[in-house]
Amino acid sequence: MNMSFRLLNMNKLSLLLALVILLGGCDSILKEEPKTFLSEEAVFSNEAGADAATKGIYASLRSFSYYDRWFTAMVEMHADYVNGRGSQAPVGQYQLNAQNINRIGSMYGAIYESINRANIVIGGVPDIDIEPTQKNQLLGEARFLRALGYFNLVRLFGGVPLRQKPTKGSKADLPRASEDDVYSLIIDDLQFAENNLPNSYDQSNHGRATKWAAKTLLANVYLTRERWDDAASKAKEIMDSGEFSLVRVSSSEDFHTKMFGPGVTSYPEEIFSIQYTQSIPAGWLGWMHKPGIGYSSGGVFAWWGELDSFIGQGRWASEDSPDLRRNNSLYNGPETAYLDPTINMLFSKFRGSPADEGVDMPIMRYAEPLLIYAEAESQANGGPDDAAYEAVNKIRRRAFGQDPDIADPGGADLQTGLTATAFRDSVLLERAKEFIMERKRWFDLLRTGTALEIIQGLGKPITEKNLKWPIAQEEIDNNAALTEEDQNPGW
Amino acid sequence: MNLGDKFLRIRRMKFLWVPLIFFCTITLETVAQGTQGLQANLNVQRYADIKAQNTSSYKLSKAIELKGGRQVLRNVLKNIADQAGFNLSYSKELLPLNGKVKVKEGKFTAYDALWSVLEGTSLRFGISPGGQLFFFKREKAKLKIKQELITGTVTDAISNEPLPGVNVLIKGTSRGTATNTDGQFELTVESLQDTLMFSYIGYQTRQIPVNGRNEINISLQPKTVSGEELVVIGYGTQQRRDLTGSISSVSSEDIENEPVTSFDNALQGKLAGVRVVQSNGAPGGRTRIRIRGQNSVLGGSDPLYVVDGVPIISGSSGNTNLLSSINPGDIESIDVLKDASATAIYGARGSNGVIIITTKKGTEGQQRVNFETSFSFSQVENKLDLMNTNQFVEIANERARNDGAIEPFPDPGAVPNVNTDWMSEVFRAGLKQNYSLSTSGGDDNTRYAVSTNYIDEKGTIIGSKFGRGSLRLNLEQDVTPKLLVTPSVYLSRTKNDRVNTEEGGDGANILINAFMAPPLMTPRDENGNFTPGTELKQFPFSPGSGDNPVALALENLNRLTSDRILGNVSARYKFTDALSLKVLGGIDNINNKVDQYTSRVLQSGKPAGSGSDSRSTTTTYLNENTINYKQNFGSDHRVNVTAGFTWQQEQSDYVNVSASNFVTDDLLNNNLGAGENFTSPSSGSSEWTLISWLGRANYVYKDRYMFTLTGRIDGSSRFGEGNKYATFPSAAFAWRLSEEDFISRIEQISNLKLRLSWGLSGNQAISPFQSLQRMTPQQLVLGQSSAVGFAPANLGNPDLQWETTEQIDLGVDLSLWEQRIRLSADYYHKKTSDLLALVNLPPSSGFGSILQNVGEVVNNGVELELGADIIRGEFGWNVNANISSNHNEVKKLARGADIIAPDVNIQGPANIIREGEPLSAFFGLQQDGLTNDGFFKYVDQNGDGVINNDDRVILGNPYPAFSYGLSMNFNYKGFGLSTLIQGESGKELWNSNKERGAVSMHRGYNQLAAVVNRWRPDNPDPNAPFPRATSNLNVSPSSFFVEDASFLRIKNVRLSYSLPVAKLNLPFRNVALYVSGQNLLTITDYSWFTPDVNSWSSGDLRIGVDRGSYPSNRSFTFGTQIGF
């Protein structure tokens, strides 16, 4: 009697235990299925996800610490034509205080954030089942943007930790690579990009990197590395492609209405720009060129022109200059009433109104390969040939409101018979005026080795250490592969 | 000899393979001799939850059905016992048991049935204190010698209700009886000099010498700490004397004594080791509860709240305490699990302690209706005295002179004769109304409790308000004798109109703006329109931000409407008396709606108002399946094993829409389409899942040695991919020395127990999805239109896991003189490791930091709880006191680096997390009086001649060295007086308010009247308490803001009177009237409103900071309770 009683109960018990174990047996219950974001796996499960991750790299260019503010601000304020005000005043004097060193640090981090996003795509896309052309396009875009990041880093900081894989976990120690290693990755990436990126995109993808963007950047890299032949021939490829032409202007205002203003969505000269619209505006451009808001609250007059630099010299400064770029790029409008009356030159190239900030930020445009070609061709051959002259003269003629293709000897055209050195100086000056406020001048001063001479010539206390910015202190503190010894000299 | 047949219970046990050898030593005589032996042998632990301890008497009145005819007595008795739900115990040697008796057919109460069956036999029955039905022989022979009949009634000393089923025994014999359903008894004794012993479960046993009387009417005191009352532990209950862990309990009376809106407020000062800080005095406002100290930096240190088995959603929504949606009147008991032996059963959620709430259930046979209402009138405990117009004008002019500026009031005589006391403008008398109606009762099979509550509270700051309506239904249904089903539903809606007194910047904080407003201006103009903030700030010294504080309170709608559904259904099936299965399903659902509208009267509502509608839903689902095996093996071994599997999932989502620029303020936020500007809507969704296996084994040997082993395995979705499962074991041992001969000889000691426990518990501190690399949408532009890309928002950490707290507890429980003095002392040492922290990464990784488990915090302390029944009897006086001390220290941080808390909105941070210091210790410059010019003089700690951040030092501790509480209750006849005194000693507060209102008008705010006592050019006192009046003051976070905030508070005094309803022949069961006062007196040196506020919410590193916090209130409550 007792036995049967027992069996019954034991059966019930084991049933119960079985139930308990069964219920508990599913690990999948604990897998987190994100709802308001995607996991990395989900992103790289299909083409649309991979495409979104690639767009995520472009989005990083808009980071506050990257192009939208601190990268732009620091690079421009190191150039010879800008003076900072307020908290940025020490930068214009090359006496960086802790606050501005921190800004450089956050910029350094923002560029690496962009690089890491590129690395995620470069690491994730190959395993997805996509049509090869499409796959290579995404890889090409990622490698182009990674190259852009490293190119910015290596020019500002020298050799940096060279990360080629997405960061995983907390083990992130890596020593600084040599500049040569960094450049060789950049060139590698750009060569892949130029071979795999498309000629152009449909309207809805306008703003993504094309093969011409890759070639222009590569030409710039060669130029920086003083590989004159490579630079010239790469620039020539773009010039010969027939894809781009200079925008014709007949007044200063035409630069605004046809190229840089908020109403312009694209123009024949555009190679690669960061795109903005009124509803998704640019942090920096709105901040920098938004007339009508006082210095203290909006920071609109945070910079003012250094009149001892090229912007105050020669024909560019004179009111009757035929160079139409001047009055588009500089102004001393009524807002100066807010300011010290001795400050009479501000910047207006990317002006918009507070309600109208859809000004795109050009990273590369057709003027660049032309000027690269002119400089590199002359440097390669020990002096300018006609093609070199023609390239730079096209820019000058357009700047003077003329047809870029019709020669204007004695007018817009450069004086003939210049030496290689004189010709290069002319091209560099042309670059300075053409690309003012486009983050090129400081890099030109660096690569030509003229930064100290030119800026000291303005009476500013720049020293050798300003040529290689300080690596972020967080990098040295938290990267076990680095010590204080690895900091750039002087910092 | 087959001992298994000795007792029914033992026979049942046989199949459970337990060696029965221990029973050989039991002589049958011992058993037959009666109750004492039986009590010891057969201490049955029923499947009772708290209320069941009182049910044995009602079992006697339970209707049972008998079949007629001649039957074996033993079988009939067993039948009756089964139907009534008693466990049966008797000795086989009782010969009549095997005889046959004639049984009448029909329905009877168990009591009548027993009497009718036993009538012709020599047997009588009784109920043991353990709730068992036992039988003993009527000793006829002795009755012949002499018979004296004693009659009487036994009642409950508190309620005066008759107690049925009370054991009445003649001392030194086994003879006795039990009271009937009316509490009456009849007993024949040999001598009127005998002594009678009255015992009843849940009540204190009394010995009454007969002293020649023939009628003895006595009352029994419920046992408060007797060891037999059941304590709710995780996934079960246990008798207090069998506990090995550290658990403190609060009963419903303790909660009802204080007219609290939210039950957590009623815990303040009552329990050792449980620190309750009422973060603010707002109606429905937050509290901060820390059990045995602060464990965590990022992970949160709030305890887990469990209501009737369901871990509920707690915390706050904005400044509204989510616990305030629960009606405190529904709570039967609160048990606080403190040490690892108690909390380990809650595994990854146990390390901050567990607060278990049990709601009131119905009792069979007791049909009751209760109505209760109370009114509380409140005002702020203290108002601050601000400068009047004359003083204000004077300091404003002095400040200008000191700064070389033009005096703002060159002709003080011309200043309008207005003296607005802005404190009085923003405060008012508060009023709280509370109405509760409840009914409970039950019959044989069904017990119910229904309650409804409505509360309406107007806070002491204008515009603040809280309302709650609630409805509860608790049912218990015996579907069959083996199956008990318990459904429970709770519904509530709360509405909380919040005013800005917390966290927020200066611009909106009402109390900060009461300083901003100059006394020479009025809140409204003669037409009743609010004086615009811009006008209040018209002076050259006026601060840049701020608004009219009265308008801020009245013109800024911020209302949380919160609906809560909290329910569960459990089914318990008894396979045998020992083995049962319980399946529970629970749900907790909160729907929040926040209505926000800022009218155009306010500057932040310019130009034309702004409004929003935010809704969020959080729902937690729970399934629990536990089996329990509870068995005694002879008199020496008691085993109680619980094992189970649980699953819980919580889902939440929110959506928020907002608009601004409304044509009119009239529609508030009710039609956002009436706004001209819209911001993008935001929404989100989140989810977590927890699956767990748990087990606990209690073993008690000889009532002396108690062992508990607990383990829980938690699988949590929040943990990293590589760390989904965590195991939390604990072990505990307790030794009841009072059961040992060498102690039991000491008559004075009624209980002495040593407890020792060790265990691990966790903190599931990670928010959902933290371990994943979250790819979030990133906006960009392509082709002149918006495009979305995805990029990582963080660096995933697949190793992310729980924070682990290892705790050792050493405790002693001692009661003396029949439980008159009850003492409980504990020492604990808690080490929390794997603390969650953001660890910096090299920026070249592309990330600033990664969330990791590093760091260690230690809490150790002592707790003492003392209870004493100083006078028992008609006049009763008892005392409960507790004191605890906790020491908190950060042992390890990532790379040893300090973590500095965010700014407290003065010039910097007030708190730091540093190795070797308490979590969030105060930190800043050391002030050393004033300079000769009246500026703050700071100590140059490193002697480098510069005062800067490098000179910052630790300035104080936000946690008290001691917390204590003392409650006393006096009873005489119908009168009751209870008092609660509570305090904290040896702690500091960071009084950030001073930076606005007590820095000699540095920032242009009105000042405390005390600031007249400042440094002045005509009286340059470097020891003046307040500095020079200047806009250039060198204010830094410093010791100037750190104040001793020790306090002693008379928290509650309540005087009640129960009408003698029987004497007055009133148609009520009971009527009680009471008056009580809260926060009657607070003794403190703290200079602002309230010495135990906390402006920032629970997860913040800014601890112990007072910034414009809503002050606590003093209130007087008048109430009445009527029972039918």
Side-chain angles (χ1 to χ4, degrees), chain A residues 28-93:
Chain A
S28 59
I29 296 174
L30 298 183
K31 186 154 175 64
E32 288 196 299
E33 299 295 349
K35 299 187 167 193
T36 52
F37 59 90
L38 295 174
S39 70
E40 211 175 315
E41 300 147 38
V43 166
F44 289 106
S45 62
N46 56 39
E47 184 178 339
D51 190 63
T54 307
K55 287 177 183 165
I57 319 170
Y58 289 99
S60 71
L61 301 181
R62 303 171 55 109
S63 156
F64 185 85
S65 292
Y66 202 180
Y67 279 94
D68 262 17
R69 184 163 300 179
W70 293 130
F71 171 74
T72 299
M74 289 297 160
V75 167
E76 293 294 23
M77 238 158 348
H78 275 75
D80 52 345
Y81 56 85
V82 179
N83 286 300
R85 283 185 64 89
S87 68
Q88 298 177 40
V91 186
Q93 290 301 312

Side-chain angles (χ1 to χ4, degrees), chain A residues 16 27 38 52 163 167 206 475, chain B residues 627 725 775 783 790 844-845:
Chain A
L16 191 70
D27 274 9
L38 295 174
R163 297 188 187 274
T167 302
H206 178 75
E475 183 74 36
Chain B
I627 46 175
Y725 294 94
M775 301 286 280
F790 273 82
S844 65
S845 65

Side-chain angles (χ1 to χ4, degrees), chain B residues 221-463:
Chain B
Q221 286 279 351
K223 284 180 185 175
T224 44
V225 180
S226 73
E228 299 235 352
E229 86 266 26
L230 292 172
V231 176
V232 183
I233 55 180
Y235 306 94
T237 58
Q238 203 172 17
Q239 290 188 333
R240 181 164 285 281
R241 65 171 180 183
D242 287 348
L243 284 182
T244 53
S246 176
I247 299 179
S248 291
S249 305
V250 169
S251 70
S252 57
E253 293 92 62
D254 289 329
I255 300 164
E256 286 160 8
N257 263 342
E258 288 181 65
V260 293
T261 300
S262 183
F263 70 86
D264 39 335
N265 283 311
L267 298 177
Q268 196 172 34
K270 298 221 171 73
L271 302 169
V274 181
R275 181 169 182 237
V276 180
V277 175
Q278 191 181 343
S279 297
N280 65 66
R286 287 180 276 117
T287 54
R288 169 188 288 243
I289 297 190
R290 293 290 176 267
I291 297 172
R292 294 186 166 179
Q294 176 105 7
N295 293 329
S296 185
V297 182
L298 294 180
S301 295
D302 291 336
L304 176 71
Y305 294 86
V306 179
V307 176
D308 291 333
V310 181
I312 59 161
I313 302 158
S314 59
S316 56
S317 172
N319 286 324
T320 303
N321 181 356
L322 290 178
L323 298 175
S324 68
S325 63
I326 291 171
N327 174 15
D330 286 344
I331 294 175
E332 175 69 32
S333 68
I334 298 177
D335 296 276
V336 181
L337 315 187
K338 299 192 287 192
D339 72 342
S341 168
T343 62
I345 197 80
Y346 284 101
R349 296 179 292 178
S351 70
N352 294 326
V354 183
I355 295 184
I356 301 188
I357 292 131
T358 307
T359 60
K360 289 173 178 167
K361 309 287 190 300
T363 308
E364 71 188 78
Q366 290 186 332
Q367 312 294 336
R368 288 181 170 176
V369 178
N370 272 302
F371 176 71
E372 182 175 352
T373 178
S374 68
F375 297 87
S376 302
F377 303 90
S378 58
Q379 55 185 31
V380 283
E381 268 195 274
N382 63 321
K383 282 182 192 164
L384 300 176
D385 287 333
L386 306 194
M387 287 187 168
N388 61 25
T389 299
N390 281 343
Q391 294 163 325
F392 182 81
V393 164
E394 190 187 327
I395 193 172
N397 282 341
E398 181 183 316
R399 178 179 184 262
R401 285 194 305 273
N402 285 347
D403 288 352
I406 301 160
E407 292 189 355
F409 305 104
D411 179 7
V415 172
N417 185 21
V418 173
N419 245 320
T420 305
D421 176 7
W422 287 90
M423 285 284 141
S424 300
E425 297 293 336
V426 298
F427 289 123
R428 67 176 171 191
L431 170 66
K432 180 160 80 171
Q433 312 169 55
N434 186 7
Y435 306 91
S436 293
L437 180 64
S438 64
T439 174
S440 66
D443 59 18
D444 307 356
N445 297 322
T446 309
R447 292 161 298 283
Y448 67 91
V450 184
S451 73
T452 175
N453 169 251
Y454 174 74
I455 198 166
D456 179 88
E457 183 177 0
K458 285 188 175 64
T460 48
I461 291 184
I462 51 175

Side-chain angles (χ1 to χ4, degrees), chain B residues 614-645:
Chain B
S614 320
R615 304 189 187 216
S616 61
T617 301
T618 304
T619 310
T620 185
Y621 308 92
L622 173 74
N623 168 248
E624 275 177 17
N625 312 283
T626 49
I627 46 175
N628 179 258
Y629 176 74
K630 197 188 256 185
Q631 186 63 288
N632 297 351
F633 301 98
S635 63
D636 287 351
H637 307 274
R638 287 191 278 126
V639 170
N640 187 348
V641 179
T642 301
F645 168 74

